[in-house]
């Protein structure tokens, strides 16, 4: 269990930004595209330079969705809107993450940003631990040698 005493300096929480939208460049005159790309890069670079963004990446438009019923084309079989990328944000509160998201140039093109907290443990595993005292095996990302 983590110690949440007020005498400790708490590390920022982590949130993920999921950038959702359609192809924002469609219908934009070529002479505007450089300006728009620069606005987004300047916004993102400012967050990186501030230490608030810890990583992120663009996501491909193709993929698959796998469940017990089978495999379907993904990642957006029922919608034109796709998750086009993500960023990992280190800030103190959800409200701070929301305020940062509100400044994204991406929103000017009918895009949206889903913000989710990154958790240390699966909420279902936590509920099972609380209800039944069962503990999952630990995960380790260290490579076996």
């Amino acid at each position: 269990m983590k110690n949440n005493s007020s005498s400790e300096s708490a590390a920022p929480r982590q949130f993920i930004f999921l950038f959702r939208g359609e192809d924002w460049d469609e219908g934009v005159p070529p002479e505007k595209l450089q300006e728009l790309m620069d606005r987004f890069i300047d916004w993102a670079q400012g967050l990186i330079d501030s230490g608030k963004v810890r990583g992120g990446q663009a996501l491909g438009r193709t993929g698959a969705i796998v469940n017990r019923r089978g495999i379907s084309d993904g990642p957006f079989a029922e919608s034109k809107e796709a998750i086009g990328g993500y960023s990992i944000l280190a800030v103190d509160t959800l409200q701070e993450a929301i305020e940062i998201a509100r400044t994204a140039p991406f929103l000017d093109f009918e895009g949206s940003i889903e913000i989710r907290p990154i958790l240390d443990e699966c909420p279902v595993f936590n509920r099972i631990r609380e209800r039944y005292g069962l503990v999952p095996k630990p995960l380790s990302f260290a490579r076996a040698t």
Side-chain angles (χ1 to χ4, degrees):
M1 185 142 224
K2 292 183 179 179
N3 183 344
N4 291 329
S5 79
S6 58
S7 63
E8 287 186 26
S9 172
R13 294 178 58 194
Q14 289 195 16
F15 294 87
I16 189 167
F17 278 5
L18 299 171
F19 298 97
R20 295 178 178 273
E22 297 181 27
D23 292 329
W24 60 268
D25 62 315
E26 293 297 327
V28 177
E31 59 275 6
K32 283 286 279 175
L33 291 174
Q34 186 68 52
E35 174 191 336
L36 299 175
M37 290 188 300
D38 289 347
R39 277 182 56 208
F40 180 80
I41 295 301
D42 291 345
W43 175 79
Q45 190 65 56
L47 291 172
I48 292 166
D49 292 347
S50 75
K52 292 182 180 183
V53 168
R54 302 290 172 91
Q57 200 68 40
L59 299 174
R61 295 294 183 139
T62 60
I65 298 172
V66 178
N67 61 37
R68 289 204 175 274
R69 293 184 301 275
I71 301 169
S72 62
D73 290 339
F76 49 96
E78 289 87 31
S79 172
K80 288 183 180 180
E81 185 179 87
I83 298 174
Y86 71 93
S87 290
I88 305 295
L89 200 68
V91 295
D92 293 324
T93 65
L94 175 60
Q95 188 59 41
E96 186 177 359
I98 290 169
E99 292 306 317
I100 290 169
R102 284 182 172 158
T103 67
F106 179 72
L107 300 179
D108 294 345
F109 302 95
E110 303 305 318
S112 64
I113 301 173
E114 180 179 344
I115 306 168
R116 306 271 304 271
I118 296 174
L119 305 176
D120 292 332
E121 181 179 50
C122 169
V124 174
F125 285 3
N126 188 45
R127 185 172 57 239
I128 290 169
R129 175 184 290 109
E130 289 174 358
R131 285 184 183 168
Y132 307 108
L134 301 173
V135 179
K137 294 178 188 178
L139 288 172
S140 174
F141 289 95
R143 291 183 174 226
T145 53

